[in-house]
Amino acid sequence: MLGCRGSKIRFSSETWLKLNTLERLAEAGYRAVAIDLPGLGNSKEAKAPAQVGEPAPGSFLKQVSEGLQLGPAVVISPSLSGMYSLPFLFQHNDLVKAYIPVAPICTEKFTAEQYSSIETPALIVYGDQDTQLGEVSFNNLKNLSNHKVVVLQGAGHPCYLDKPGEWHSAVLQFLQSL
């Protein structure tokens, strides 16, 4: 672990299947891929591989992206996945077409200057009832130079579970604007 705040593990790639997010994205013409991070979900015994001179989290998503031949991808990153998506965003920005963080952890690991150097389009999403991690992550992510914000009213930390219709609408509208 990278020692970031808010690392409760409750969800897996199956969440996106049950929520119909994968289906909604496919119906809209997008190739959607949901993965379990190393040591989580169905990959409980897996460890994140590292490349020489590069931290494991950024390297792991690079290997996934290249292995699945995703090309520049839109990365949706809720909560715990921030420990992987943020290093990937900063280390391999050329592989990220857009970034959709949903109250991710580890946002405090990067400076406002680092965030402002990223020009990748971002849709920052959090629930207004997530007064801890949602607000902390937003206060850091708002420094991204090219971002939009969606606050789901009446939603908690896993705001996509509390407001799936609004979540899907926001994501699809953002994707269509790219």
Side-chain angles (χ1 to χ4, degrees), residues 125-137:
V125 182
Y126 67 100
D128 72 333
Q129 302 301 303
D130 186 4
T131 57
Q132 293 181 4
L133 193 50
E135 290 179 11
V136 168
S137 65

Side-chain angles (χ1 to χ4, degrees), residues 8-15 36 40-41 79 157-158 160-161:
K8 290 184 182 178
I9 302 168
R10 294 181 17 193
F11 307 104
S12 71
S13 60
E14 192 173 337
T15 300
D36 285 328
L40 303 173
S79 197
H157 182 60
Y160 42 86
L161 293 180

Side-chain angles (χ1 to χ4, degrees), residues 39-52:
L40 303 173
N42 289 321
S43 67
K44 291 184 173 130
E45 300 303 317
K47 297 212 183 299
Q51 294 178 354
V52 176

Side-chain angles (χ1 to χ4, degrees), residues 106-164:
C106 295
T107 59
E108 74 279 0
K109 297 290 183 183
F110 303 93
T111 66
E113 293 76 26
Q114 287 175 300
Y115 283 110
S116 66
S117 72
I118 299 295
E119 295 180 13
T120 302
L123 177 66
I124 302 167
V125 182
Y126 67 100
D128 72 333
Q129 302 301 303
D130 186 4
T131 57
Q132 293 181 4
L133 193 50
E135 290 179 11
V136 168
S137 65
F138 172 70
N139 284 331
N140 293 307
L141 294 167
K142 70 182 179 187
N143 293 300
L144 288 165
S145 64
N146 182 10
H147 73 271
K148 297 176 183 176
V149 179
V150 171
V151 180
L152 298 179
Q153 300 300 312
H157 182 60
C159 60
Y160 42 86
L161 293 180
D162 294 336
K163 301 285 185 169

Side-chain angles (χ1 to χ4, degrees), residues 21-81:
T21 301
L22 296 175
E23 181 180 340
R24 295 284 307 270
L25 291 170
E27 287 171 353
Y30 299 100
R31 178 181 176 206
V33 176
I35 62 167
D36 285 328
L37 296 172
L40 303 173
N42 289 321
S43 67
K44 291 184 173 130
E45 300 303 317
K47 297 212 183 299
Q51 294 178 354
V52 176
E54 185 176 326
S59 174
F60 171 73
L61 288 182
K62 179 180 185 229
Q63 289 179 11
V64 168
S65 178
E66 290 173 345
L68 295 175
Q69 300 177 351
L70 298 177
V74 175
V75 176
I76 297 176
S77 177
S79 197
L80 185 68
S81 64

